[in-house]
Amino acid sequence: MAASRGPPLLGFRALALALLLAILLLLGCSAPAAYAGAEGVLRQVVGRRGDDGGGGNFFEPFNVTYDHRAVLIGGKRRMLVSAGLHYPRATSEMWPSLIAKCKEGGADVIETYVFWNGHEPAKGQYYFEERFDLVKFAKLVAAEGLFLFLRIGPYACAEWNFGGFPVWLRDIPGIEFRTDNEPFKAEMQTFVTKIVTLMKEEKLYSWQGGPIILQQIENEYGNIQGNYGQAGKRYMQWAAQMAIALDTGIPWVMCRQTDAPEEIIDTCNAFYCDGFKPNSYNKPTIWTEDWDGWYADWGGALPHRSAEDSAFAVARFYQRGGSLQNYYMYFGGTNFARTAGGPLQITSYDYDAPIDEYGILRQPKWGHLKDLHTAIKLCEPALIAVDGSPQYIKLGSMQEAHVYSTGEVHTNGSMAGNAQICSAFLANIDEHKYASVWIFGKSYSLPPWSVSILPDCENVAFNTARNLGLPVVQVDISLVSSHLHLEVRISQVLGGLPKRLLGILEHLNVTKDISDYLWYTTRVNISDADIAFWSSKGVLPSLTIDKIRDVARVFVNGKLAGSQVGHWVSLKQPIQLVEGLNELTLLSEIVGLQNYGAFLEKDGAGFRGQVTLTGLSDGDVDLTNSLWTYQVGLKGEFSMIYAPEKQGCAGWSRMQDSIPNHNKQMNAFDGLPANS
């Protein structure tokens, strides 16, 4: 792996910050000393630091509380930087290197969702191994001296299949997700309690000497709460009280929940959160999702957010009173197996994050943000010292300063020799023009859309728009390919049911989300009168399906006739039939279950409405209630041709150039379901 590549890429700006730190110490400024002392108290690792993170306490046990200004770690306010890193989106072998790179980049906290469908694949059957070994992950975080922000949910969204809900949940009679519904609340409470109990048993909460300092119940529920009316309000309040009753001893948060109860911290998720304030003066300002990139869809462009804009957003957040900010994502990773959400979201979750999908530092973003974090930490003593609002100075029509200090600062004069703790942020929110501003007896040049950070209210340690532009690191993919595992589990989920059934069954009711593929096959008898009718009219019959999602392929007598892609869109496909019996096969493909929105349990997959053969001599034929043969999965899944050691015996055939482009891709299916 490329962990050894990190140190040479710190950049000249990091050296400049180190030099500034030395200058501040020589000048007698107390800010660095105060910061170093706080870190020493909080990072006392007292347990074994093995590769598995096992053994004993990791910290001297400490309490976590909060006031209106910040989260309090061991009774002391902290300005915290958090790195989003979802443990199942990397192999467990990658975790130590990834966590170390988050720490090297300036993170204090690792944030992750907890993924219900990964941990409870079948009702009452729990899984905490390999990529889902949450305990091991938490201990590795602690072994690096970092804290953990656990977003239990258990709804995640996260561009994760079905938003993290297990598919078996939708089969419970009378269930409605995320509302005042007893069957759902019972299952949710059981799972959340399971996670909390496990964390307590493993002594992973802060008061036990563990790393967990924050946890989240629900997720962006405020976005959809209105769809459920008063039942939604009751559910939100129930979720909050259920979480509090678990007595975890640390704060709970709800993101994007403006009506969160007083005991729960409401937080911000957005590209910019510098204007966000919680719904109570008693709560600190927390940014749970700083979208430093975005996910990608099949066929879409790869989103990009510049390092400069991301740094600007973060600096503005702390400038205007923020106290904890979490990058979503700091490492995005990979949607292994069939975990990608949908519809049509790709298996890469690279997210344009500071650490790329393969665990390699993305320069210049990683280095630029690292320098930002160093500057913010230099300001921490001043930031936590101000109990109310900082001094605000208007410097121009689109320029402003916020000054944090232990005393009143006369901003017109020089700060030289001033013994008090003082840090300042100078912002130019004009997107196009440079600005020159006068403050502290000096002139400062501010690039467009930038923040300059002055840890001592005099020297500029960092400007968000000034990026040295470190080169992009090229990496040999062979170095990391051994860590990328595909996982597919296929079984005959039809169980004791006959394979031939009357009617069109709903896709998920048959597959139980074991495979993305479900074959439907029936037979149609065509008379000589039909053939004569089509010949005389110069037309072809058509197969129509009222609605499909996400992909439908139509095969006639073993040959691909056509396809349709979309989210509950109609299909109308002309087909070529012969006299006598014709085999009509439909292949339904899911490209990630819906992961966001209200009423997820009602979305489903496959086909809806009528399946009709139109244009026959005697009129249309409704095939919906015909006898259909069902088969789950593909031949390639059963034979595991995705495994490197199996690819040599996969029996690939050369494509013919005469095949139309839109059909080439489909021939990989060989036109037949497995065991048809």
Side-chain angles (χ1 to χ4, degrees):
M1 298 299 288
S4 62
R5 295 178 183 263
L9 296 173
L10 296 179
F12 294 109
R13 188 173 300 280
L15 295 176
L17 287 173
L19 180 60
L20 174 62
L21 177 58
I23 293 171
L24 291 171
L25 287 170
L26 288 172
L27 292 174
C29 178
S30 59
Y35 167 65
E39 183 184 60
V41 170
L42 301 177
R43 297 282 180 82
Q44 284 188 344
V45 179
V46 297
R48 181 168 66 86
R49 298 181 61 171
D51 290 339
D52 64 350
N57 290 351
F58 293 94
F59 301 90
E60 293 288 354
F62 60 95
N63 291 326
V64 180
T65 55
Y66 59 87
D67 63 13
H68 64 279
R69 181 67 186 97
V71 173
L72 277 63
I73 306 292
K76 296 184 178 181
R77 290 176 178 168
R78 286 297 309 272
M79 296 291 110
L80 296 171
V81 174
S82 175
L85 194 173
H86 297 159
Y87 54 98
R89 283 178 159 141
T91 64
S92 58
E93 295 87 350
M94 296 172 69
W95 291 345
S97 174
L98 293 172
I99 295 166
K101 289 172 183 175
C102 293
K103 179 179 179 179
E104 185 184 355
D108 309 286
V109 183
I110 298 295
E111 170 272 337
T112 185
Y113 282 119
V114 175
F115 296 89
W116 189 356
N117 53 11
H119 291 299
E120 194 178 2
K123 181 176 168 59
Q125 298 178 19
Y126 296 101
Y127 183 75
F128 291 93
E129 305 296 331
E130 299 179 329
R131 291 183 298 105
F132 289 93
D133 192 342
L134 175 58
V135 170
K136 178 179 179 179
F137 180 77
K139 290 181 177 180
L140 287 169
V141 169
E144 278 290 350
L146 299 178
F147 304 130
L148 184 60
F149 177 10
L150 203 60
R151 300 173 72 187
I152 299 175
Y155 167 69
C157 184
E159 292 71 59
W160 186 270
N161 195 47
F162 213 30
F165 287 132
V167 169
W168 57 260
L169 200 63
R170 70 195 291 272
D171 295 333
I172 294 175
I175 199 164
E176 292 182 74
F177 293 4
R178 304 177 76 194
T179 188
D180 188 15
N181 173 268
E182 293 305 322
F184 177 77
K185 291 191 298 182
E187 294 297 335
M188 174 175 166
Q189 183 168 3
T190 297
F191 180 74
V192 173
T193 302
K194 173 73 176 180
I195 297 299
V196 167
T197 301
L198 179 62
M199 297 300 102
K200 286 182 179 179
E201 290 173 348
E202 295 290 339
K203 298 184 174 10
L204 293 172
Y205 283 106
S206 65
W207 49 272
Q208 299 174 298
I212 304 176
I213 62 168
L214 285 175
Q215 55 207 343
Q216 178 176 294
I217 192 69
E218 252 298 341
N219 184 53
E220 294 188 341
Y221 188 65
N223 292 357
I224 65 164
Q225 181 174 308
N227 291 281
Y228 298 98
Q230 287 302 308
K233 180 78 170 180
R234 292 194 301 272
Y235 164 72
M236 182 274 295
Q237 293 171 336
W238 167 85
Q241 294 307 314
M242 181 269 290
I244 292 167
L246 292 173
D247 194 26
T248 60
I250 64 170
W252 288 91
V253 308
M254 281 182 165
C255 60
R256 288 200 164 189
Q257 193 68 50
T258 57
D259 58 349
E262 183 65 26
E263 304 90 342
I264 304 286
I265 306 171
D266 59 305
T267 66
C268 184
N269 292 359
F271 287 106
Y272 305 94
C273 281
D274 55 289
F276 170 79
K277 294 298 177 187
N279 64 7
S280 167
Y281 175 78
N282 299 318
K283 303 176 184 180
T285 301
I286 295 177
W287 189 359
T288 35
E289 291 187 15
D290 171 4
W291 301 331
D292 55 356
W294 203 245
Y295 61 87
D297 294 327
W298 287 107
L302 294 178
H304 172 69
R305 187 180 189 187
S306 72
E308 294 85 352
D309 185 60
S310 192
F312 173 82
V314 174
R316 287 286 284 170
F317 176 71
Y318 290 100
Q319 174 179 1
R320 300 184 66 190
S323 62
L324 186 156
Q325 168 266 344
N326 173 66
Y327 289 102
Y328 192 99
M329 301 293 298
Y330 199 78
F331 165 80
T334 305
N335 293 306
F336 293 102
R338 300 172 48 261
T339 56
L344 301 171
Q345 288 158 2
I346 69 173
T347 53
S348 169
Y349 204 63
D350 182 84
Y351 222 84
D352 196 40
I355 303 175
D356 76 11
E357 181 176 6
Y358 305 105
I360 308 304
L361 305 183
R362 172 172 276 117
Q363 300 290 8
K365 184 175 267 189
W366 183 89
H368 191 58
L369 295 175
K370 172 183 169 66
D371 292 347
L372 166 67
H373 305 152
T374 302
I376 290 171
K377 290 302 180 182
L378 289 171
C379 299
E380 184 176 40
L383 290 170
I384 65 175
V386 175
D387 194 61
S389 299
Q391 285 180 250
Y392 175 80
I393 302 96
K394 188 72 172 173
L395 299 173
S397 61
M398 303 184 76
Q399 295 78 38
E400 60 186 17
H402 290 75
V403 180
Y404 291 83
S405 176
T406 51
E408 186 71 19
V409 174
H410 300 291
T411 57
N412 291 328
S414 171
M415 292 297 296
N418 194 325
Q420 67 190 32
I421 298 174
C422 183
S423 296
F425 296 78
L426 314 181
N428 178 13
I429 59 175
D430 190 313
E431 297 183 47
H432 307 290
K433 297 178 181 178
Y434 274 80
S436 179
V437 300
W438 182 269
I439 190 172
F440 307 128
K442 294 175 64 175
S443 177
Y444 295 88
S445 177
L446 305 181
W449 200 246
S450 76
V451 176
S452 285
I453 300 176
L454 288 63
D456 60 349
C457 285
E458 184 174 5
N459 297 289
V460 177
F462 182 85
N463 178 274
T464 60
R466 293 184 177 128
N467 194 332
L468 292 179
L470 294 173
V472 174
V473 177
Q474 299 298 323
V475 60
D476 182 352
I477 192 65
S478 65
L479 295 175
V480 294
S481 60
S482 63
H483 292 287
L484 305 180
H485 304 296
L486 291 172
E487 302 170 4
V488 179
R489 294 184 296 121
I490 302 298
S491 65
Q492 293 294 92
V493 296
L494 288 174
L497 292 175
K499 292 184 179 180
R500 303 187 72 193
L501 299 167
L502 289 172
I504 294 291
L505 301 182
E506 198 269 344
H507 184 124
L508 288 176
N509 284 341
V510 179
T511 67
K512 303 303 181 186
D513 202 32
I514 292 297
S515 173
D516 288 325
Y517 304 96
L518 178 61
W519 300 85
Y520 302 69
T521 301
T522 191
R523 291 184 175 183
V524 178
N525 192 34
I526 297 299
S527 68
D528 57 355
D530 292 320
I531 300 295
F533 175 74
W534 298 326
S535 178
S536 66
K537 298 291 186 180
V539 297
L540 290 175
S542 291
L543 179 77
T544 65
I545 304 176
D546 287 350
K547 292 183 183 299
I548 68 100
R549 75 147 295 200
D550 297 310
V551 183
R553 317 286 188 194
V554 179
F555 296 86
V556 177
N557 297 321
K559 294 182 179 180
L560 179 68
S563 308
Q564 178 63 287
V565 178
H567 189 80
W568 299 126
V569 297
S570 62
L571 176 149
K572 184 172 184 179
Q573 178 61 50
I575 56 177
Q576 185 82 49
L577 299 171
V578 298
E579 185 177 348
L581 280 178
N582 291 257
E583 187 174 78
L584 175 64
T585 299
L586 308 178
L587 173 60
S588 170
E589 303 176 35
I590 300 174
V591 190
L593 295 180
Q594 190 77 23
N595 61 263
Y596 177 78
F599 312 114
L600 284 180
E601 73 280 2
K602 295 179 171 59
D603 190 49
F607 309 137
R608 281 182 179 170
Q610 302 298 111
V611 178
T612 309
L613 188 60
T614 64
L616 278 70
S617 59
D618 293 334
D620 299 343
V621 175
D622 186 352
L623 301 176
T624 311
N625 296 313
S626 297
L627 188 64
W628 293 86
T629 299
Y630 291 88
Q631 180 66 48
V632 176
L634 301 177
K635 287 181 178 179
E637 289 180 301
F638 287 110
S639 58
M640 297 192 299
I641 63 171
Y642 53 82
E645 65 274 14
K646 298 284 186 78
Q647 291 183 9
C649 55
W652 298 101
S653 59
R654 182 178 297 276
M655 288 291 193
Q656 300 297 320
D657 291 339
S658 60
I659 298 175
N661 287 335
H662 70 278
N663 284 348
K664 283 186 178 180
Q665 178 185 357
M666 302 309 107
N667 272 18
F669 294 121
D670 199 26
L672 294 171
N675 303 324
S676 60

